[in-house]
Amino acid sequence: MSARLTNKRILLGVTGGIAAYKSAELIRRLRDAGAEVQVVMTAAAQEFITPLTLQALSGNPVHTSLLDPAAEAAMGHIELARWADLILIAPASADAIARITQGIANDLLTTLWLAAAGKKAIAPAMNQQMWADAATQANLGVLRERGVAVFGPASGLQACGDVGAGRLLEAVELAECCAEQFNSGLLQGREIIITAGPTREALDPVRYMSNHSSGKMGFALAEACVEAGARVTLIAGPVHLPTPDRVHRVDVVCARDMLAASEEAVAQALSRAGHINTVFIATAAVADYRPAQVADQKIKKGEKDDTLDITLIRNPDIVATIAGLNPRPLVMGFAAETQSVENYATSKLFRKKLDMIACNDVSRSDIGFQSDDNAMTVFWPEQDHLGRHELAKASKHEIARQLTHLLAQRLGARA
Ligand code: C5P
């Protein structure tokens, strides 16, 4: 099976060693699998392979210095560290391994390593004696304990003529190892239905009412749920986004179609997996109202008409309808608010009988609607209080992955 890294941001650290040439092939494999790649090279790595080669292959400027004002102005090192979903050092020399174990930050790569919040991995490559040395093995033990994934090394003939452990894994294997970092299996056996994007409510054959929802959060969630092992149906309003791998997508236009598609998908999921294993997630920004009448022909403006009256009627509440089913799936809603975010969100949680609600403040321009980033607080009712979890500002993909963990927890609590 080929590796799947769609939309993953990988920061590849290349350190000095003969295996550095393999990083060129690795970048290709990571990009073929859908990842975005930024490369950081140590000074020693540049003795083995040029930044120009890795820049051409990654499609991004290669980062080499902590003190380069131009690079800092383009993307500061802390920003770069935060950008990464995964930081992988491949090849990781014995020296780099020792430095990251100690928390030394004396070059760009080790500084980024310390500042990175996402997943961390190393692919060691060195002489077999250096690999076997007690110092290297002790460092590896410490890193593993801290949750760092160690890919390889493989055994075999080494560049120096020795035979033994210490060869860098092949690029294909490394790309596969990276993909595995994102496959948690947390939602294995679950059926998940997600609504996403805006709805469009027709006024006449050429006009409609809608909103600015991009659908990015729902699509990111669909992708994260599939990666976590779930079977996912994504019911999408009109958006300009590609369908994530292995996601079953149903396109709809208006709220009533979205409701019908949701009811059908939920009924099928319930019959396949049972209510305990079914989840409905409503990220869609459904229009609350629609024009009471859709004109058959384009509405004409009269010469003297300065105003036009349109009567709107209420659309069905999709998430509340699904939450009203019996038996019902676990239901999660979203609340985009511009004020009193928490109060409105929690009152929606109870009024719509949801199991969870994720709320964010769309008055902030750096997160929410059209943005690639989001930050939210998730609430759920516990026996005698309200459970709550804050998700700090991160890419919608990262937020989505964190939501899969919360979902898995709530599903566990429900069983
Ligand atoms: O009431 P409000 O629109 O703020 O509630 C937000 C939540 O309800 C979201 O999860 C949204 O997808 C869902 N919703 C719905 N159908 C509607 C309105 C909102 O599913 N007609």
Side-chain angles (χ1 to χ4, degrees), residues 39 70 89 114 134 141 144 150 156 192 231 259 261 296 329 334 341:
V39 179
I89 305 184
L114 270 190
R144 282 200 181 97
V150 181
I192 301 190
R231 175 170 171 155
L259 173 62
D296 290 339
F334 276 69
V341 178

Side-chain angles (χ1 to χ4, degrees), residues 195 282-284 286-288 316-319 333-334 337 348 352:
T195 66
T283 68
V286 184
D288 289 325
D317 192 311
I318 300 168
V319 77
F334 276 69
E337 304 291 349
K348 253 170 227 176
K352 300 195 184 201

Side-chain angles (χ1 to χ4, degrees), residues 4-309:
R4 291 172 211 271
L5 289 164
T6 319
N7 291 323
K8 299 296 174 295
R9 294 163 165 182
I10 299 185
L11 184 57
L12 176 66
V14 183
T15 68
I18 191 66
Y21 77 93
K22 287 191 184 172
S23 58
E25 170 74 7
L26 175 58
I27 293 167
R28 292 198 79 130
R29 296 286 177 174
L30 294 173
R31 291 193 71 194
D32 285 350
E36 213 184 313
V37 182
Q38 298 258 6
V39 179
V40 188
M41 298 178 80
T42 61
Q46 295 168 59
E47 302 290 330
F48 291 90
I49 185 165
T50 68
L52 194 61
T53 303
L54 303 192
Q55 170 172 321
L57 291 169
S58 67
N60 285 312
V62 168
H63 309 267
T64 53
S65 163
L66 189 55
L67 304 170
D68 176 350
E72 280 298 297
M75 191 188 231
H77 64 275
I78 297 292
E79 207 183 328
L80 189 56
R82 270 204 214 118
W83 169 89
D85 295 319
L86 168 71
I87 174 166
L88 165 66
I89 305 184
S93 63
D95 171 67
I97 291 172
R99 285 187 294 135
I100 58 174
T101 307
Q102 293 301 315
I104 292 171
N106 59 353
D107 62 6
L108 179 61
L109 177 58
T110 48
T111 303
L112 288 170
W113 181 273
L114 270 190
K119 299 173 190 297
K120 294 180 176 175
I122 57 170
M126 66 196 73
N127 165 270
Q128 52 86 22
Q129 195 63 49
M130 293 171 78
W131 170 252
D133 189 85
T136 305
Q137 289 304 314
N139 289 337
L140 261 301
V142 171
L143 291 176
R144 282 200 181 97
E145 222 161 79
R146 289 182 193 152
V148 174
V150 181
F151 302 159
S155 289
L157 181 63
Q158 302 202 303
C160 54
D162 281 6
V163 176
R167 281 171 59 97
L168 186 68
L169 289 186
E170 293 306 322
V172 174
E173 297 169 304
L174 287 174
E176 198 57 61
C177 290
C178 288
E180 274 166 23
Q181 294 301 302
F182 296 100
N183 290 344
S184 62
L186 273 173
L187 297 173
Q188 200 70 47
R190 313 290 192 177
E191 289 265 355
I192 301 190
I193 297 101
I194 301 172
T195 66
T199 64
R200 235 178 229 180
E201 310 297 331
L203 272 163
D204 68 19
V206 293
R207 302 188 182 95
Y208 57 81
M209 291 172 40
S210 191
N211 59 64
H212 291 300
S213 168
S214 63
K216 284 178 187 165
M217 193 63 238
F219 275 60
L221 207 43
E223 198 173 295
C225 289
V226 159
E227 278 172 9
R231 175 170 171 155
V232 178
T233 303
L234 178 61
I235 301 170
V239 293
H240 302 283
L241 294 171
T243 312
D245 275 354
R246 294 170 285 165
V247 166
H248 173 58
R249 172 172 175 173
V250 181
D251 284 312
V252 295
V253 176
C254 68
R256 285 175 300 170
D257 290 349
M258 189 175 269
L259 173 62
S262 300
E263 287 178 318
E264 192 186 327
V266 168
Q268 284 177 6
L270 289 174
S271 70
R272 274 196 300 261
H275 72 286
I276 287 294
N277 290 314
T278 304
V279 178
F280 183 75
I281 306 176
T283 68
V286 184
D288 289 325
Y289 293 91
R290 67 177 183 276
Q293 251 133 35
V294 184
D296 290 339
Q297 305 296 330
K298 186 178 168 193
I299 301 169
K300 292 285 179 199
K301 57 181 174 293
E303 275 304 307
K304 299 219 166 72
D305 292 342
D306 283 337
T307 59
L308 172 68
D309 292 329

